[in-house]
Amino acid sequence: MSENDYYIRQKDKLSKSIEKFLKPITPELIDMFGNKEASAVQLKVKNEYDKLIPQFPYIGGDDNKLTSNLVQASWGLALYRVLKEYDIELYDIGKLIYLSLTRHFNKLPRFIRKIMGRRMFSKSKVIKMKRRAFLSREKKYPYDWVWEVNDGDGINYGLAIDYTECGIVKFFHDQDADELVPYLCNLDYVIFKAFGIELHRTKTLGCGCDCCNFRFIKNGTPREPWPPFFVDTAENVSANKTNQTN
């Protein structure tokens, strides 16, 4: 499968995939628009996503696990595009995206989520991540992530991952959706809370920083991911409080 038609040849499968994103937030859409209009809104989101599929940048296809991150993040982009037409506030759009992912993980049995969390810290998993991170620094694909993985310090955290380039940040910038990216960054707290892993991050590319510095505490206490907590810095507290009251 060539780079040029990688997404096109999967269009039917990708088109159906967004239903997994929309179904969990159907009650909220009905509250916002009513039954009939909510169905129309969902159809518009699906159509918007179909328009995005041919625009997805190729970053290695099935050989790059982050391809799915780009594809799934764009579910939120399609929703954002449509709801902006209805003058829905960014904060409320971000909350819908948060609710969809949260409800997805809540459907998974707790023991499955714990196993997924433990695997992240396994020696074999870390070795694979380091190998992929090393290859990312070749920058073969312009829209790919660039990152590095380091072992924990043995005291404060168990694993460190630093991203200096993010495919979502780059693609969403092209799509004039920079303002949505911090809400997608916040989803990392949803994911790792589901896995039972405490995440600390003082910088994110989505908030205009020079990197995303993930620090993971294996047996820590995951923070609540909503209201959104974009980065763990004092400078960000006022911005978070503003968002929480919108």
Side-chain angles (χ1 to χ4, degrees), residues 1-243:
M1 188 179 295
S2 70
E3 296 181 13
N4 292 334
D5 64 4
Y6 174 78
Y7 297 106
I8 298 299
R9 293 182 61 177
Q10 301 183 71
K11 191 172 186 297
D12 289 344
K13 177 182 177 181
L14 292 173
S15 294
K16 292 179 181 178
S17 71
I18 196 171
E19 294 176 6
K20 295 186 294 184
F21 167 71
L22 290 172
K23 186 176 180 180
I25 54 174
T26 297
E28 282 71 25
L29 293 175
I30 291 174
D31 285 343
M32 285 181 174
F33 300 104
N35 281 290
K36 184 176 180 180
E37 188 62 23
S39 296
V41 168
Q42 288 181 314
L43 181 58
K44 287 182 180 180
V45 173
K46 292 175 183 178
N47 291 338
E48 185 63 36
Y49 187 68
D50 285 347
K51 295 176 186 176
L52 286 168
I53 291 172
Q55 302 177 57
F56 293 161
Y58 184 81
I59 59 173
D62 295 343
D63 293 330
N64 187 344
K65 291 185 178 296
L66 291 169
T67 294
S68 61
N69 289 36
L70 186 64
V71 167
Q72 293 173 16
S74 296
W75 296 341
L77 176 57
L79 180 71
Y80 165 80
R81 285 266 181 85
V82 172
L83 294 191
K84 289 288 281 185
E85 295 177 5
Y86 289 86
D87 295 324
I88 303 299
E89 295 292 332
L90 175 63
Y91 183 83
D92 295 323
I93 297 171
K95 187 172 184 179
L96 287 173
I97 297 171
Y98 151 77
L99 287 172
S100 178
L101 186 61
T102 299
R103 289 167 182 171
H104 166 75
F105 278 115
N106 285 345
K107 288 174 63 178
L108 298 176
R110 185 182 297 273
F111 79 93
I112 294 293
R113 287 182 271 143
K114 286 186 176 181
I115 290 173
M116 295 170 73
R118 286 198 297 268
R119 283 179 178 173
M120 179 177 172
F121 288 91
S122 69
K123 186 175 181 179
S124 61
K125 178 72 171 178
V126 172
I127 290 173
K128 288 179 181 178
M129 285 195 292
K130 286 182 177 180
R131 186 180 303 124
R132 294 201 305 270
F134 177 78
L135 293 174
S136 79
R137 295 194 287 278
E138 296 178 358
K139 299 187 179 183
K140 183 176 180 180
Y141 304 106
Y143 282 84
D144 199 359
W145 281 253
V146 178
W147 48 301
E148 62 178 321
V149 180
N150 293 297
D151 298 324
D153 62 4
I155 302 174
N156 299 305
Y157 56 90
L159 187 67
I161 302 178
D162 293 318
Y163 292 88
T164 54
E165 293 184 26
C166 171
I168 294 171
V169 169
K170 289 182 276 192
F171 180 56
F172 278 44
H173 178 71
D174 286 356
Q175 298 293 324
D176 295 322
D178 298 281
E179 66 176 0
L180 180 63
V181 175
Y183 288 89
L184 299 179
C185 296
N186 185 62
L187 298 180
D188 292 320
Y189 292 104
V190 175
I191 295 168
F192 293 109
K193 180 178 184 292
F195 293 166
I197 297 172
E198 183 176 349
L199 165 64
H200 282 278
R201 190 172 53 188
T202 61
K203 296 189 287 187
T204 68
L205 293 163
C207 288
C209 304
D210 61 347
C211 71
C212 300
N213 58 346
F214 289 72
R215 299 295 181 267
F216 300 101
I217 301 173
K218 186 176 181 180
N219 296 312
T221 303
R223 72 167 70 254
E224 289 299 322
W226 197 267
F229 202 96
F230 298 142
V231 288
D232 305 340
T233 62
E235 292 79 6
N236 195 59
V237 171
S238 61
N240 288 335
K241 287 182 178 178
T242 299
N243 285 329

